[in-house]
Amino acid sequence: MGDYKNTIIITGASRGIGKACAEIFAEEGWQVVIGYHKSEVEAKRLEASLLEKGFSVQAIQADVTKQEEVKQMFSKARATFGKVDALVNNAGISQFRLFTDMTEQEWDQMFDIHCKGAFFCTQCALEDMISSKSGSIVNVSSMWGQVGASCEVHYSASKAALIGLTKALAKELGPSNIRVNCIAPGVIETDMMKSVSGEIKQVLCEETPLMRMGSAQEIAKAILFLSSEKASFITGQVLGVNGGFVIG
Ligand code: NAP
């Protein structure tokens, strides 16, 4: 029993916050599935560097909006590591658009990746979790899902939906001893912020009480906490990791 290693599937782990999660969970002794979509080179490089350090990891490709691909990712993960103990629904995209210019396709894509992707992955993860009466799911929302962002209505709405999903699912799965929580990051320095001008980044930092952007590692540490036994009585919560940008 002492040798048992927990297995976690992290979506969007080829880059940014997901990559930082893969590294920190591997270092903490978890068996890690590096979920990726298009960034095969980055995912394989991360897999190779963690394997070289002696960690148990596997990079698996899946578009989270495609149910069949998600199912295959879970069967490959189970074939390698056995039971899935935890899931981080982190895959995401951002886009700046005036609401009046937004197309149906852009709206759908945002909800498909953030909400339908979490729905597909969570259903697959529950196959093990319900029978073993244990498990943890962390959904990566955003502070914009809490307070809304101008020119990001579809992003904010889909991230708010993920908060609703988290709360409802926590109630439904609590009796099965499965915890469901949500992280709401503030402004975090990843590729996602690359399209934001230096000037706007400066303004966002000034609006952040801690006066800076957060790092992917700072989000990963909070996700590790929520996924771990240290958070064994925490479920249905939204943890803001935002340098104080949104309080309360
Ligand atoms: P990032 O560096 O742009 O990485 C996004 C990740 O999502 C990539 O690994 C990408 O995979 C994956 N992804 C995108 N579409 C996918 C799909 N259809 N199927 C599977 N994977 C997909 O972004 P990040 O900043 O780390 O963001 C991670 C999460 O944090 C997102 O949900 C984001 O909304 C949230 N967040 C970020 C910030 C921020 O300031 N950075 C703030 C609040 C919330 P491939 O590259 O392999 O395609």
Side-chain angles (χ1 to χ4, degrees):
M1 269 309 274
D3 289 343
Y4 183 77
K5 281 186 164 189
N6 284 306
T7 297
I8 187 161
I9 295 191
I10 303 163
T11 65
S14 48
R15 299 182 286 114
I17 291 169
K19 178 184 178 190
C21 285
E23 290 170 334
I24 200 169
F25 276 91
E27 280 158 17
E28 286 296 311
W30 290 63
Q31 301 183 136
V32 177
V33 171
I34 301 164
Y36 69 95
H37 181 209
K38 293 182 182 152
S39 303
E40 177 145 38
V41 173
E42 288 86 343
K44 295 282 183 195
R45 195 183 297 139
L46 176 63
E47 179 191 55
S49 81
L50 292 173
L51 285 173
E52 204 176 306
K53 290 179 184 161
F55 300 135
S56 303
V57 302
Q58 185 180 14
I60 305 179
Q61 197 271 340
D63 177 346
V64 295
T65 69
K66 306 266 164 53
Q67 192 170 28
E68 206 38 55
E69 292 187 24
V70 169
K71 282 184 180 172
Q72 282 181 15
M73 171 171 72
F74 275 79
S75 14
K76 284 180 195 165
R78 289 187 175 108
T80 309
F81 297 127
K83 178 168 85 72
V84 173
D85 303 286
L87 168 70
V88 181
N89 286 311
N90 165 74
I93 56 163
S94 65
Q95 184 189 41
F96 298 92
R97 274 283 179 282
L98 272 178
F99 182 68
T100 43
D101 291 343
M102 209 170 275
T103 66
E104 182 181 359
Q105 190 265 334
E106 288 167 343
W107 178 272
D108 285 346
Q109 192 189 26
M110 207 51 86
F111 275 79
D112 281 356
I113 295 177
H114 296 149
C115 300
K116 209 193 261 186
F119 164 57
F120 288 154
C121 291
T122 304
Q123 272 198 337
C124 283
L126 289 177
E127 286 171 30
D128 291 329
M129 293 180 182
I130 288 174
S131 56
S132 66
K133 276 201 155 253
S134 70
S136 159
I137 296 156
V138 175
N139 296 317
V140 181
S141 178
S142 163
M143 67 176 175
W144 302 132
Q146 298 173 293
V147 298
S150 167
C151 296
E152 288 188 271
V153 171
H154 53 352
Y155 181 84
S156 305
S158 66
K159 291 296 190 179
L162 204 48
I163 291 174
L165 184 155
T166 302
K167 292 180 177 177
L169 203 56
K171 289 185 180 175
E172 190 167 322
L173 297 176
S176 300
N177 192 36
I178 299 163
R179 299 179 301 103
V180 190
N181 288 293
C182 192
I183 288 279
V187 184
I188 310 302
E189 199 160 13
T190 67
D191 291 350
M192 197 169 267
M193 288 300 294
K194 271 188 181 163
S195 60
V196 177
S197 72
E199 212 176 321
I200 290 180
K201 278 186 196 161
Q202 182 66 31
V203 171
L204 289 168
C205 288
E206 280 162 16
E207 281 182 49
T208 303
L210 289 179
M211 302 292 288
R212 63 173 175 86
M213 287 194 267
S215 69
Q217 288 72 21
E218 286 173 311
I219 302 301
K221 281 190 248 176
I223 293 175
L224 176 68
F225 165 68
L226 285 178
S227 306
S228 77
E229 265 305 296
K230 288 181 183 157
S232 54
F233 202 48
I234 301 178
T235 196
Q237 302 305 307
V238 181
L239 179 58
V241 187
N242 57 33
F245 198 116
V246 173
I247 297 179

